[in-house]
Amino acid sequence: MIKRLLLLLLPVLGLQAAPLNIVIDRGVENAIPIAIVPFGWSGPAGAQPIDMDLTIGNDLARSGRFAPLPTRDMPQQPTAFAAINFKDWRLLGMDNIVIGNLQERADGNYEVSFRLVDVYKGTQLAGFRIPAGRAQLRRTAHRISDIIFEKLTGIPGAFDTRITYVTVKELPNGNKRHSLQVADADGFNAQTLLESSEPLMSPAWSPDGKQLAYVSFEGGNSSIYIQDILSGRREQVAAHAGINSAPAWSPDGARLALTLSKDGNPEIYILHLADRSLQRITRNRAIDTEAAFSPDGAKLVFTSDRGGSPQIYEVSALGGTARRVSFGGSYFARPSYAPDGKSIIMVHGKERRYRIAMLDLENDYLDLLTETRLDESPSFSPNGSMIMYTTTRSSGTELAAVSADGRVHQRLALQDGEVREPDWGPFTTQ
């Protein structure tokens, strides 16, 4: 049964990953020109703890929607609004510039200020002044990027978010080390939450960003755990005989959708976390797996081979008759809803190629977003503008992302083993 379930899913990836590197394969034509001027620094020379402008510029560049001006091409480097020579910037065709200051305070913390300025109107569009500890400076830079992104595109930024994924590294003795990782959305500040000699699978963020649900094969059988990210405390929530897999949170954080085979073949269940009661959703002789909640929590989308091949179905979160939503292909898997609930992201397989596709639920239009041969595990950013996934290239297995419209492509390679099953975390206030 487990072998059949694995065959329903994509092949396991097994190549080594390339060194950490962010590559913009394709961006938006006519990307917005912007200059992120080096921030002023009031502390000791050479002791600036972070290049705020570099982090902000990298954020905006990797979105594919902006074209930051290289520092060497800047006509001036103002740190105050009154010092901006708007004529010089207009001659370069800059629509907007960002200026700012990083000041060291007497208590050892810092104060960060920035201004987003419209060059042609000569006015400030956004800005703030905020205290921050040394450990908070990168996050503060991401928050500035979010403000700039939203102000200039109308879409909330998702730079100040996190991702989770599993890495697998082959050891000199031939064994493998599986690691559950959490990192900033740009791949920095990676932290290992758990290591195991047995497989770890399907990490999923809780809606508040404080916990992860995942599958562990420690003890020789699959079990589902929930782990607190800050404390590391974890709890086993499903360890039935047979398959325990594919956890997915409800939007309110009170339920988990699971795949369990405790009653025979794999079916979709909902685990109510308050009292640990189980609610069976599907009843079919086929394999039903990979469920995900709709943004309002009222529906589930899942993968099933009940029609003879893996396809995507939708069902009420109360149970009932499921309806097929994927057509025009013999392989569809790993579905999840967009944050607005209007579309579903999934893996589409055809002629031994597995690509990321998006189905518009309003007009049943399927859009293939990627062009590589083996892409899997798509996950929406919380603002719905990007999808993260894993891809296999000649250099190995790596994280990648594509915009929801397919116009922006980027790759984020990891340096320590192969990478699997990314999940993009929610907006948080932590």
Side-chain angles (χ1 to χ4, degrees), residues 245-278:
S245 68
W249 294 84
S250 62
D252 60 4
R255 297 167 290 167
L256 279 181
L258 313 172
T259 298
L260 306 176
S261 65
K262 69 184 189 68
D263 296 322
N265 59 301
E267 301 282 4
I268 306 299
Y269 293 78
I270 289 178
L271 173 65
H272 296 264
L273 295 173
D275 60 7
R276 295 296 191 266
S277 62
L278 278 174

Side-chain angles (χ1 to χ4, degrees), residues 76-108:
Q76 59 168 166
Q77 296 185 11
T79 59
F81 185 89
I84 299 173
N85 186 325
F86 289 100
K87 180 179 179 181
D88 288 346
W89 294 103
R90 290 170 188 148
L91 289 174
L92 287 177
M94 285 297 105
D95 292 344
N96 303 278
I97 64 172
V98 176
I99 60 173
N101 285 277
L102 178 60
Q103 180 179 355
E104 187 175 27
R105 304 197 315 184
D107 61 2

Side-chain angles (χ1 to χ4, degrees), residues 249-251 292-301 314 317 337-338 341:
W249 294 84
S250 62
F293 279 95
S294 60
D296 61 5
K299 295 177 291 186
L300 292 166
V301 65
E314 190 176 57
Y337 290 92

Side-chain angles (χ1 to χ4, degrees), residues 316-377:
S316 167
L318 299 176
T321 302
R323 72 178 186 96
R324 180 173 164 178
V325 298
S326 63
F327 297 93
S330 60
Y331 184 100
F332 293 92
R334 200 60 180 264
S336 60
Y337 290 92
D340 62 8
K342 295 181 180 180
S343 57
I344 296 173
I345 199 71
M346 63 189 69
V347 176
H348 172 262
K350 185 177 181 181
E351 297 177 351
R352 300 181 66 82
R353 295 185 67 182
Y354 298 90
R355 296 186 286 176
I356 307 303
M358 186 155 59
L359 174 66
D360 186 319
L361 293 173
E362 294 181 349
N363 58 25
D364 292 328
Y365 176 73
L366 185 72
D367 188 14
L368 295 178
L369 302 180
T370 63
E371 301 170 353
T372 37
R373 296 195 63 85
L374 185 53
D375 302 330
E376 66 167 357
S377 303

Side-chain angles (χ1 to χ4, degrees), residues 24-358:
I24 307 299
D25 287 336
R26 187 190 312 162
V28 176
E29 293 184 7
N30 300 318
I32 299 172
I34 190 169
I36 316 297
V37 179
F39 277 37
W41 166 240
S42 63
Q48 189 168 346
I50 181 177
D51 289 327
M52 299 290 290
D53 55 292
L54 180 63
T55 301
I56 296 167
N58 286 342
D59 281 345
L60 298 178
R62 68 186 177 85
S63 75
R65 298 174 181 268
F66 291 86
L69 181 70
T71 303
R72 63 178 181 274
D73 295 335
M74 294 181 182
Q76 59 168 166
Q77 296 185 11
T79 59
F81 185 89
I84 299 173
N85 186 325
F86 289 100
K87 180 179 179 181
D88 288 346
W89 294 103
R90 290 170 188 148
L91 289 174
L92 287 177
M94 285 297 105
D95 292 344
N96 303 278
I97 64 172
V98 176
I99 60 173
N101 285 277
L102 178 60
Q103 180 179 355
E104 187 175 27
R105 304 197 315 184
D107 61 2
N109 291 317
Y110 301 88
E111 185 172 87
V112 181
S113 61
F114 94 100
R115 295 171 183 260
L116 170 64
V117 178
D118 185 313
V119 169
Y120 288 93
K121 293 181 180 179
T123 58
Q124 177 176 313
L125 299 177
F128 69 47
R129 183 186 301 272
I130 186 173
R134 176 181 287 266
Q136 299 170 316
L137 289 176
R138 279 198 103 257
R139 185 171 186 188
T140 301
H142 290 319
R143 287 178 173 176
I144 293 173
S145 303
D146 285 341
I147 293 171
I148 297 169
F149 188 88
E150 182 169 14
K151 192 68 179 180
L152 298 182
T153 69
I155 303 169
F159 303 111
D160 182 29
T161 56
R162 293 184 292 176
I163 59 175
T164 184
Y165 50 87
V166 173
T167 60
V168 183
K169 182 177 181 180
E170 187 167 348
L171 303 177
N173 61 7
N175 294 330
K176 291 184 177 181
R177 184 178 67 214
H178 305 257
S179 300
L180 179 63
Q181 305 277 338
V182 168
D184 293 347
D186 60 0
F188 282 81
N189 293 330
Q191 300 176 15
T192 300
L193 299 186
L194 180 68
E195 289 188 338
S196 175
S197 60
E198 302 296 333
L200 299 170
M201 300 174 62
S202 306
W205 288 95
S206 63
D208 62 5
K210 296 180 179 180
Q211 297 176 300
L212 289 176
Y214 59 88
V215 177
S216 173
F217 279 78
E218 58 196 84
N221 189 60
S222 60
S223 300
I224 296 174
Y225 289 82
I226 293 177
Q227 182 161 337
D228 182 85
I229 294 175
L230 186 60
S231 69
R233 183 182 63 84
R234 66 180 190 146
E235 181 180 6
Q236 188 182 74
V237 296
H240 304 281
I243 296 169
N244 302 268
S245 68
W249 294 84
S250 62
D252 60 4
R255 297 167 290 167
L256 279 181
L258 313 172
T259 298
L260 306 176
S261 65
K262 69 184 189 68
D263 296 322
N265 59 301
E267 301 282 4
I268 306 299
Y269 293 78
I270 289 178
L271 173 65
H272 296 264
L273 295 173
D275 60 7
R276 295 296 191 266
S277 62
L278 278 174
Q279 172 190 357
R280 184 168 172 173
I281 301 300
T282 62
R283 297 179 181 273
N284 195 283
R285 297 178 62 183
I287 293 175
D288 296 335
T289 186
E290 299 178 333
F293 279 95
S294 60
D296 61 5
K299 295 177 291 186
L300 292 166
V301 65
F302 64 97
T303 305
S304 177
D305 66 350
R306 62 183 62 189
S309 65
Q311 298 290 334
I312 308 304
Y313 292 79
E314 190 176 57
V315 67
S316 167
L318 299 176
T321 302
R323 72 178 186 96
R324 180 173 164 178
V325 298
S326 63
F327 297 93
S330 60
Y331 184 100
F332 293 92
R334 200 60 180 264
S336 60
Y337 290 92
D340 62 8
K342 295 181 180 180
S343 57
I344 296 173
I345 199 71
M346 63 189 69
V347 176
H348 172 262
K350 185 177 181 181
E351 297 177 351
R352 300 181 66 82
R353 295 185 67 182
Y354 298 90
R355 296 186 286 176
I356 307 303
M358 186 155 59

